[in-house]
């Protein structure tokens, strides 16, 4: 399998980096080809811009329409977008590894969604969910969060389980584009627990990834 890891953390000794390293180690160890897009490392541009396109329609600027136009013109997107699209299209599995920021992903990863999951590339008119253009690919969120197990319950302080919190991404983004979505792995209380508990969480992640293909935990799957 070809695995793409889209990774967003500023610090190489962070827990998120440790989770990314576990993913590389486990999946490479199983003989898969693993490519990492280190978004902060390459200074990925988070903001959608007019100059994301080599040529535009020349009409009223609508980012979505320009994406479709660029996709039709043999991927006439800016080079950084083309590079990520190539990695995306070559991948069978895409893992997104990042901390939870405001119930979501850091802006740099949201920017990857905005700019790379383009109309005409990842989805199209009438090509959503089970007919999305990324049908056949698998995706999984791997995240860390400051909040505790107790706070991440439907009736808890945050009024959401981790799966409920990540619904806009798992459903509204990844499944929207046609991908089969694995249940997310979310490390909770990441900063406040001790090293032993963090090491246990990494072992749990290792177990999930070791059995990613032979015993997957699906959240959304299109037959
Ligand atoms: C803008 C913003 C918004 C946020 N919004 C939310 C939110 O909506 N909900 C929420 O719950 N939280 C939120 N947070 C908190 C955030 O999710 C956590 O701070 C983050 O997930 C912690 O992960 P980290 O990798 O950055 O931690 P780090 O501080 O890098 O790591 C935590 C600890 O793990 C240690 N560690 C590193 N590697 C290992 C290893 N191999 N084994 C054991 N220990 C190791 C580190 O030394 C450190 O002590 C937000 C934070 C910010 C900045």
């Amino acid at each position: 399998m070809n695995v793409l890891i889209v990774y967003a953390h500023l610090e190489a000794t962070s827990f998120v980096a440790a989770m990314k390293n576990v993913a590389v180690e486990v999946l490479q160890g199983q003989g898969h080809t693993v490519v990492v897009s280190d978004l902060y490392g390459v200074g990925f541009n988070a903001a959608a811009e007019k100059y994301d396109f080599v040529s535009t329609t020349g009409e009223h600027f609508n980012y979505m329409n320009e994406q479709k136009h660029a996709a039709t013109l043999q991927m006439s997107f800016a080079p950084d977008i083309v590079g990520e699209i190539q990695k995306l299209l070559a991948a069978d599995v895409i893992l997104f590894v990042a901390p939870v920021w405001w119930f979501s992903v850091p802006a740099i990863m949201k920017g990857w969604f905005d700019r790379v999951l383009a109309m005409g590339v990842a989805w199209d008119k009438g090509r959503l969910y089970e007919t999305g253009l990324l049908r056949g690919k698998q995706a999984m969120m791997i995240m860390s969060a400051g909040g505790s197990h107790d706070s991440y319950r439907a009736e808890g302080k945050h009024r959401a389980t981790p799966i409920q919190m990540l619904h806009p991404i798992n459903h509204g983004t990844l499944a929207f584009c046609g991908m089969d979505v694995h249940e997310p792995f979310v490390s909770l209380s990441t900063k406040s627990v001790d090293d032993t508990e963090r090491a246990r969480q990494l072992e749990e992640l290792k177990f999930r990834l070791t059995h990613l293909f032979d015993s997957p935990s699906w959240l959304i799957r299109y037959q």
Side-chain angles (χ1 to χ4, degrees), residues 3 8 14 19 53 55 77 80 110-111 133 159 161 179 188 203:
V3 181
S14 64
M19 293 198 295
F53 308 98
S55 70
F77 295 91
D80 64 331
K110 175 61 164 53
L133 299 181
R159 296 285 188 270
T161 64
M179 290 190 265
L188 296 173
E203 283 304 313

Side-chain angles (χ1 to χ4, degrees), residues 45-174:
N45 185 14
E49 302 277 4
K50 283 192 171 177
Y51 53 75
D52 283 347
F53 308 98
V54 173
S55 70
T56 62
T57 57
E59 295 164 8
H60 166 84
F61 188 92
N62 175 291
Y63 196 78
M64 202 171 76
N65 292 347
E66 297 301 339
Q67 287 182 318
K68 171 75 178 172
H69 177 72
T72 310
L73 289 179
Q74 296 184 324
M75 300 297 162
S76 66
F77 295 91
D80 64 331
I81 298 177
V82 174
E84 292 303 310
I85 288 175
Q86 284 169 343
K87 287 188 259 181
L88 169 70
L89 296 182
D92 302 297
V93 184
I94 303 104
L95 305 178
F96 296 93
V97 187
V100 171
W101 280 10
W102 298 121
F103 267 39
S104 184
V105 293
I108 203 164
M109 186 172 279
K110 175 61 164 53
W112 192 97
F113 294 158
D114 294 344
R115 299 175 69 228
V116 179
L117 298 178
M119 184 181 191
V121 173
W123 66 280
D124 214 331
K125 198 172 169 198
R127 302 293 305 273
L128 318 175
Y129 297 108
E130 52 270 69
T131 58
L133 299 181
L134 300 186
R135 183 94 200 271
K137 298 185 189 298
Q138 304 175 28
M140 178 177 171
M141 301 301 299
I142 298 175
M143 308 197 78
S144 66
S148 65
H149 276 281
D150 198 44
S151 63
Y152 278 112
R153 289 181 297 111
E155 303 306 323
K157 188 168 61 177
H158 293 317
R159 296 285 188 270
T161 64
I163 288 179
Q164 288 169 336
M165 169 178 72
L166 294 176
H167 178 78
I169 296 171
N170 283 322
H171 191 77
T173 307
L174 306 177

